[in-house]
Amino acid sequence: MSVARFFVSAGARRRGVAARLLDKAIEVAAADGLRPVLEVEAGATAAINLYERAGWRYVGSSAADWMTADGRVAQMRSYVAPSGDQT
């Protein structure tokens, strides 16, 4: 299972909404015997901090096939969710 799109509105930030959504993704995946993964652009430091605080494990990076707004090739960081027994 892949977390393909993940957005939290500005008004809901810093309220634990994102962490609860990530926990739900892990719960739903675990019910099907799966473990979610996600990719995040390396410049998204707030998101990266959230994932790492929530226990998602960094597993590698790769160049994307698209450019960032400032004209550089996007660098994607890949993460795997913590196992269900840690949430």
Side-chain angles (χ1 to χ4, degrees):
M1 176 183 150
S2 175
V3 178
R5 299 283 187 262
F6 186 71
F7 300 95
V8 175
S9 70
R13 292 181 185 151
R14 313 290 304 161
R15 296 182 180 180
V17 173
R20 288 194 304 273
L21 287 170
L22 287 173
D23 287 346
K24 189 63 170 180
I26 294 168
E27 177 187 324
V28 169
D32 288 336
L34 302 171
R35 196 165 175 193
V37 297
L38 61 79
E39 288 184 325
V40 60
E41 204 284 313
T45 55
I48 290 167
N49 289 337
L50 167 70
Y51 303 143
E52 291 181 355
R53 277 193 317 271
W56 289 64
R57 185 172 45 93
Y58 170 74
V59 293
S61 295
S62 63
D65 61 356
W66 53 275
M67 306 291 274
T68 63
D70 62 0
R72 62 184 172 76
V73 174
Q75 295 297 310
M76 304 304 293
R77 293 175 58 93
S78 299
Y79 287 85
V80 64
S83 62
D85 60 343
Q86 293 176 319
T87 60

